[in-house]
Amino acid sequence: MDAATAIYPGSFDPITNGHLDILNRAREVFPRVVVAVANDPGKAVLFPAETRLGLVRCVLKEIGADDVEAVGFDGLLAEFARTIGARALIRGLRAVTDFEYELQMALANRRLDPDLETVFLMAEARHCFLSSSLIKEVARYGGDVSPFVPRCVADALRDAFRSSGC
Ligand code: PNS
């Protein structure tokens, strides 16, 4: 295990400016940050796992974050974290409504791997209302999502809802 490696996992369906804020804060603290895009067949998502990963990579390129790796993973996060040697697991906290779910996940992950420490980071206040679900809803009804997501994500959302006719 490597104390210098942090994993930043999520569904990223799609990645938002709020996620990027958390990622950039993690980069300030950890020398190596790996963004891990979950492929959970039980979760209803707009974008397939390969597309979500492709969007994360596109965004990393857009912001010039050459130091950050993005990978996909299946199965248990704690096990995947171990395979990449991560000691820290990054999660963003927005409002108190996130807390119960995050606490449950952090405690479960601690049980699964006591050496994996969950680290919560708070996004800037102006990002605290952002969520992938909210952004998808705005995009579904033809609203402008460009203030909330990087350019390649805004393009992908526009294409997704144009082609689905929703
Ligand atoms: O962005 P999300 O949807 O809040 O991320 C949740 C995610 C992907 C981190 C979580 O569902 C996860 O870790 N999935 C992998 C399966 C797993 O390990 N589940 C137990 C977590 S306690």
Side-chain angles (χ1 to χ4, degrees):
M1 282 248 188
D2 177 1
T5 298
I7 186 167
Y8 180 30
S11 302
F12 300 108
D13 184 45
I15 186 166
T16 70
N17 289 346
H19 291 126
L20 275 187
D21 184 329
I22 298 296
L23 174 63
N24 284 328
R25 285 166 201 283
R27 289 167 73 203
E28 295 283 331
V29 181
F30 295 95
R32 179 177 176 231
V33 180
V34 178
V35 179
V37 179
N39 180 17
D40 180 351
K43 227 173 222 179
V45 286
L46 172 64
F47 295 109
E50 319 81 73
T51 308
R52 286 181 277 126
L53 177 57
L55 286 172
V56 170
R57 288 187 173 144
C58 174
V59 169
L60 293 177
K61 206 166 167 195
E62 205 172 303
I63 64 166
D66 310 330
D67 54 311
V68 179
E69 298 154 59
V71 294
F73 78 99
D74 299 290
L76 280 178
L77 173 59
E79 279 176 16
F80 181 70
R82 203 192 312 249
T83 66
I84 64 162
R87 268 298 302 279
L89 190 170
I90 305 294
R91 293 290 290 173
L93 266 186
R94 290 165 301 190
V96 71
T97 43
D98 284 340
F99 184 76
E100 210 170 305
Y101 169 63
E102 294 297 338
L103 175 70
Q104 195 180 26
M105 204 153 65
L107 294 179
N109 281 321
R110 181 179 287 163
R111 264 301 174 87
L112 293 166
D113 183 352
D115 291 331
L116 181 65
E117 201 60 58
T118 300
V119 177
F120 293 107
L121 299 176
M122 278 70 173
E124 227 181 276
R126 71 192 161 99
H127 290 135
C128 278
F129 72 98
L130 280 184
S131 71
S132 298
S133 313
L134 181 131
I135 286 162
K136 282 182 280 189
E137 189 166 322
V138 173
R140 180 174 296 118
Y141 293 111
D144 177 18
V145 292
S146 59
F148 313 133
V149 290
R151 197 171 44 81
C152 46
V153 176
D155 293 346
L157 282 166
R158 204 178 36 248
D159 291 348
F161 288 113
R162 190 192 293 136
S163 59
S164 77
C166 291

